Amino acid sequence: MAKVAFLGLGVMGSPMAGHLAAKGHDVTVYNRTSAKAEAWVAKHGGAHATTPREAARGAEIVFACVGNDDDLRSVVLGADGALAGMERGATFVDHTTASAEVARELAAAAAEAGIGFVDAPVSGGQAGAENGVLTVMCGGEAETYAKVEPAIMSFARASRLMGPAGAGQLTKMVNQICIAGLVQGLSEGVHFAKRAGLDVEAVLEVISKGAAGSWQMENRGKTMNAGTFDFGFAVDWMRKDLGILLDEGRRNGAKLPVSALVDQFYAEVQSMGGGRWDTSSLVARLER
Ligand SMILES: NC(=O)c1ccc[n+]([C@@H]2O[C@H](COP(=O)([O-])OP(=O)(O)OC[C@H]3O[C@@H](n4cnc5c(N)ncnc54)[C@H](OP(=O)(O)O)[C@@H]3O)[C@@H](O)[C@H]2O)c1
């Protein structure tokens, strides 16, 4: 079992760090709002530190799961950043959904200090984190990845190295592209079924067994029909992810017309006050 640190105890980070502790790792946590770190230690044991640097000191692996590119830079770089506290040979594993560019930038900064870096965004949501069944998409060097995979599997059902630094983030972008259009299609289906006077739950139940079935239909269909969205993956986060992948698409020449359109639909949901609603709230703008 390893001495590890975990930076960022949000909806995702807190249960992920909890699984590491439950597997017997020696975990030191850091959270910007320190009350959350204190509460985490009271529940799971281990220790908490007041800066990323302090948390990272002596750790073989430092995990992070914060908000966006700039949040990530703020916990990795600078005098109080994790790299300042890490020793040569240690590895930084980043579970934030961020750009491929920041992954390459931080991998280079880490390499200069003799530290490994793996970008490792996750899929599976809050429930996946709490139940320890996330899917993890990784970028980095094979030798570095091999060192951290067993610890990642403390909270994952699947983890895979996809290529060099940034490849994990690029894979997560594909994940979000596939979800964006699908949720809009599902929203239109639910909306149409209502207008047609059908029993929406019965419709979803029968068609989910056929070619239209999806994770979103199984897990979000009922709540979309009921119009409840106060849970899950926030629209604000989805817009961050769509912004990242549309930028990348402009660079690599990929055509993403539906993703760009759905991004605008989510902007409408934000203007309806739905920034923290689950991404299935796309249906709400059709029902207005
Ligand atoms: N929620 C999901 O279903 C889900 C699924 C897949 C991927 N993700 C991705 O996972 C990441 C985290 O999501 P989440 O839902 O756990 O978010 P969250 O609940 O909002 O937690 C964000 C965490 O990052 C910390 N943080 C933010 N900015 C920071 C900064 N500048 N310096 C230091 N710490 C900072 C926050 O600290 P404070 O407590 O002080 O605010 C908090 O611990 C995001 O990139 C998101 O896109 C989320």
Side-chain angles (χ1 to χ4, degrees), residues 9-12 31-33 36 66-67 71 74 97 125 237 240:
L9 301 172
V11 167
M12 301 298 283
N31 196 67
R32 178 179 56 181
T33 308
K36 280 193 208 166
V66 292
D71 301 335
S74 81
T97 303
W237 281 147
K240 170 203 39 119

Side-chain angles (χ1 to χ4, degrees), residues 7 51-54 56 73-86:
L7 317 176
T51 64
R53 175 187 181 153
E54 219 184 289
R73 286 190 184 97
S74 81
V75 296
V76 174
L77 304 171
D80 281 332
L83 287 185
M86 292 172 75

Side-chain angles (χ1 to χ4, degrees), residues 89-153:
T91 307
F92 193 98
V93 179
D94 175 39
H95 294 297
T96 310
T97 303
S99 68
E101 275 184 312
V102 78
R104 293 183 200 112
E105 170 194 323
L106 296 180
E112 269 181 34
I115 294 164
F117 185 95
V118 177
D119 51 295
V122 302
S123 172
Q126 181 175 357
E130 286 169 356
N131 297 321
V133 293
L134 292 170
T135 295
V136 189
M137 300 149 255
C138 301
E141 287 175 10
E143 201 182 310
T144 309
Y145 174 74
K147 283 200 276 189
V148 297
E149 192 195 58
I152 289 175
M153 290 310 290

